[in-house]
Amino acid sequence: MVAAPLGVLALQGDVREHVAVLAGLDVEVVAVRTVEQLRAVRGLVIPGGESTTIARLLETSGMRTLLAERLRDGLPVLGTCAGLILLSRSVVDGRDDQWSFATIDVDVRRNGFGRQIASFETVVEVEGVGEVPGVFIRAPKIESWSEQVTVLATHDHGTGRTPVLVRQGAAWGCSFHPELTDSSAIHELFLASLS
Amino acid sequence: MTLLSDSSVVGSARVKRGLADMLRGGVIMDVVNPEQAKVAEDAGAVAVMALERVPSDIRRDGGVARMSDPQMIQEIQATVTIPVMAKARIGHFAEAQILQALDVDYIDESEVLTPADEDNHIDKWGFTVPFVCGATNLGEALRRIGEGACLIRSKGEAGTGNVVEAVRHLRTINAQMRRLTSADEAEIYRLAKDLQAPLPLVLEVAATGALPVPMFCAGGISTPADASLVMQLGAQAVFVGSGIFKSEDPDRMARAIVEATTHYLDPSVVAKVSTGLGAAMRGAEMASLEQRLAERGW
C-alpha cells in the first residue's frame, strides 16, 4: 500500500515554498484545494498568507468543516504565520468575525511585531535543534498560552520573551517562516513527529 | 537594511520580497475609502491599495494624479487588518518617504499617477518599506528589480476594464524569459543589451527561468475569467483596480474574483462564481484611449 501524501493547504499564500521544502526531503506532497484532497492527506501544512483570506476560502471551498473534524481527530498539522493564526485558540484584536480552529491553546495578536516596516530576520534557538534562521513578516505574536502547549523556541524583540515555535500534540505552530530559508529543520521536526 | 539592538535586521530583501510571497494566489483591490476597504477585506482580498481615485476616474478626470491624502490612508489602515499599499508617482521619492513614514506595507511606484521624473525611477534600495513596480516587458522588469523593486506587476492598461494589454505584457515577459533560458553563453550578453537590463539579473533569469521576485498582474482585470486567464498565463496574484467598485455589484464581484484567483485551474469553480454576477465595469477599446498609462516609466 502506498502511504498517503502530506498536504500543503493551497488556497492562498506561500504554498510553493512549503511544497519545495517537503519535496526536497523526499516526501510525497499534494497541494490541497478541495475536500477530496483534504480527506486523503496524512498531515497538513498551513502556509503563510493572509489569515482572513485563507479562512474565507476554507469556507467557500467547503473545507472548513472537514478540516475542523480532522484536526479534532488529531491530524498532524504545521501552521506557519497565517497558519498559526488559523490554529490558535483565539485572535486578539482580530476582526469581529475572525474564527480559528482552536487546535493549539495560544492567543495570538495579528501583526503583533508591527506592520511590514517592522518585519525582521533574526536567529531563533530551537530546543533540541539549535539555531535556525527566523524570518518574521507581519508576524503574529503569541501573547498567552496554556499548560498544554510545549514552547520550543522563544524570541525577545524588545518587549519581553514570547513563544515563536509551539507544539500541542500533533499540532505545530510557528510565527516565523522556515519555508523562506535554506533550513529545513522545522519541517524535519514536524516530519519526525509523524512517525 | 537596518540592524536592531537584538541583532535582528529589518528591511532585508528577504522580508521585503517575503511579504509579496505571502500575497501569492490572492487579490489586491483598489479602494478609495474605508467602506470599500472593508468590502474588500470581507470579500477575501489579501491587501488593499489605498488611492484617491480608481484609475478609470483618473482617466476620466484628467489633471495631475498624485499620492493620496495621508488621512485617507490612515483611515483605511485603521479599518482593515490586511496589508495596506499606496501609490507614489514615478521618481517621486519624497512621496515615497511620506508613505514609509505612514507605515504603509507596500509602495506602488505607479504609472497610474502622473510621473514626477521622466528619467529616473526611485532608488528603492534606500527604503525599509518594499516597492512594487509595473513592467511591460522583461527589460523593464529587471531594471525595476535592479533599482530595488521587490515585486513586479505586469502593467496592462489601468482603468480600461480591458485585459488585452495585461495579456500582452505577461506573454511578452514570459516569452523573453523563455528566450533567455535557451540562450547559449555568448548570446546572453547580446540579449542583456537588447533588454537594456543589468547583466547579473539577466544571468539569474537565464539560470532559473523566472524573475528573482514574484510577478503579479494588473491593469484591466474585471471579471473572474480575466483573473483565471492571467493566473494561467503565469501571474502569481492579481491587482484589480476599477474592475470591482465600477461593477454593478462590487461585493459579489470581489468575492467572485477572489475565488477565481484561487481556483483558476478549475473551470467549474470559475463558471460557478461567474454566474449571475451582474454587469462588469464598462470597458474601453485601446484604440479609443487618449493616453496609454503603460507608456509611462522607462
Side-chain angles (χ1 to χ4, degrees):
Chain A
M1 189 183 132
V2 184
L6 213 58
V8 176
L9 190 67
L11 295 173
Q12 191 274 315
D14 68 336
V15 177
R16 189 174 70 182
E17 284 75 8
H18 278 291
V19 170
V21 175
L22 292 170
L25 295 169
D26 285 332
V27 176
E28 199 198 332
V29 198
V30 59
V32 174
R33 291 192 185 82
T34 65
V35 166
E36 294 70 36
Q37 290 166 329
L38 179 60
R39 200 168 276 134
V41 297
R42 67 185 163 105
L44 187 71
V45 174
I46 306 180
E50 279 307 314
S51 59
T52 49
T53 305
I54 298 174
R56 173 152 178 79
L57 290 164
L58 278 166
E59 289 177 338
T60 58
S61 65
M63 282 195 280
R64 178 181 172 180
T65 310
L66 176 64
L67 184 50
E69 268 170 34
R70 293 214 60 188
L71 289 170
R72 262 199 307 277
D73 293 344
L75 177 75
V77 63
L78 165 65
T80 63
C81 196
L84 165 66
I85 296 171
L86 285 161
L87 294 173
S88 70
R89 175 172 66 183
S90 77
V91 183
V92 185
D93 258 3
R95 289 166 48 96
D96 295 342
D97 60 352
Q98 182 137 17
W99 56 268
S100 52
F101 287 112
T103 310
I104 305 177
D105 285 349
V106 293
D107 308 302
V108 299
R109 184 180 293 277
R110 292 183 62 194
N111 315 327
F113 295 95
R115 300 183 73 96
Q116 172 61 14
I117 291 181
S119 291
F120 62 98
E121 281 188 56
T122 190
V123 173
V124 174
E125 177 79 27
V126 177
E127 200 173 299
V129 174
E131 293 186 340
V132 302
V135 179
F136 293 76
I137 297 175
R138 287 174 47 100
K141 193 178 209 171
I142 296 175
E143 297 205 327
S144 49
W145 58 99
S146 84
E147 292 166 359
Q148 307 298 313
V149 175
T150 306
V151 176
L152 293 154
T154 59
H155 179 70
D156 183 354
H157 203 54
T159 53
R161 200 156 270 285
T162 55
V164 293
L165 175 66
V166 295
R167 178 181 181 183
Q168 183 173 345
W172 298 67
C174 188
S175 50
F176 54 99
H177 291 283
E179 73 279 10
L180 291 183
T181 71
D182 295 332
S183 166
S184 56
I186 304 296
H187 292 81
E188 287 175 50
L189 270 183
F190 174 59
L191 290 175
S193 75
L194 295 180
S195 46
Chain B
M1 207 160 90
T2 312
L3 188 67
L4 303 184
S5 57
D6 64 347
S7 79
S8 61
V9 165
V10 296
S12 65
R14 188 145 63 181
V15 299
K16 288 156 100 175
R17 293 176 184 183
L19 179 56
D21 288 326
M22 298 312 143
L23 302 176
R24 288 210 314 262
V27 182
I28 300 138
M29 302 182 191
D30 278 4
V31 297
V32 300
N33 56 45
E35 293 71 38
Q36 289 188 353
K38 185 78 173 46
V39 169
E41 186 178 56
D42 288 349
V46 287
V48 291
M49 178 75 71
L51 74 178
E52 246 150 37
R53 292 174 288 170
V54 293
S56 63
D57 288 340
I58 291 175
R59 215 174 252 297
R60 188 196 61 206
D61 299 348
V64 174
R66 311 180 179 89
M67 179 190 82
S68 296
D69 183 337
Q71 185 183 341
M72 185 272 271
I73 295 171
Q74 287 169 321
E75 284 171 4
I76 289 174
Q77 286 173 320
T79 304
V80 295
T81 60
I82 54 179
V84 176
M85 302 186 176
K87 289 183 194 289
R89 282 179 265 179
I90 290 173
H92 206 315
F93 52 85
E95 283 188 348
Q97 288 163 352
I98 293 168
L99 293 176
Q100 173 160 291
L102 291 172
D103 225 355
V104 304
D105 294 295
Y106 242 92
I107 294 175
D108 185 2
E109 186 182 15
S110 176
E111 70 281 2
V112 168
L113 304 186
T114 310
D117 186 330
E118 295 194 336
D119 296 311
N120 308 292
H121 281 250
I122 297 169
D123 171 12
K124 294 166 271 288
W125 294 110
F127 288 79
T128 304
V129 63
F131 280 75
V132 51
C133 288
T136 58
N137 58 55
L138 181 59
E140 199 177 359
L142 295 180
R143 288 194 293 280
R144 297 296 85 78
I145 295 167
E147 296 156 0
C150 295
L151 169 60
I152 293 296
R153 54 175 172 75
S154 57
K155 279 183 179 170
E157 190 57 33
T160 62
N162 189 337
V163 80
V164 65
E165 294 298 303
V167 168
R168 187 192 320 282
H169 300 155
L170 273 178
R171 281 202 181 274
T172 301
I173 293 168
N174 284 332
Q176 290 174 325
M177 289 200 291
R178 277 196 297 272
R179 174 70 187 95
L180 280 184
T181 57
S182 65
D184 73 19
E185 287 177 7
E187 288 174 321
I188 290 282
Y189 304 100
R190 162 64 193 271
L191 289 169
K193 188 188 78 174
D194 291 348
L195 290 168
Q196 298 180 50
L199 182 62
L201 292 174
V202 172
L203 289 167
E204 188 175 342
V205 173
T208 63
L211 290 182
V213 305
M215 180 170 71
F216 295 179
C217 179
I221 297 160
S222 49
T223 66
D226 288 348
S228 171
L229 174 68
V230 299
M231 291 295 285
Q232 292 187 61
L233 288 172
Q236 296 168 356
V238 298
F239 285 87
V240 184
S242 323
I244 288 170
F245 290 100
K246 291 290 176 189
S247 70
E248 190 181 333
D249 185 345
D251 181 39
R252 248 187 108 185
M253 182 62 81
R255 288 164 194 264
I257 293 180
V258 166
E259 277 196 69
T261 302
T262 290
H263 299 288
Y264 69 95
L265 290 173
D266 186 343
S268 65
V269 174
V270 183
K272 192 183 85 187
V273 302
S274 301
T275 307
L277 262 187
M281 74 176 280
R282 187 181 153 75
E285 279 278 359
M286 290 306 123
S288 70
L289 300 182
E290 282 176 24
Q291 179 159 40
R292 294 285 193 106
L293 299 176
E295 289 169 2
R296 293 168 165 178
W298 18 87

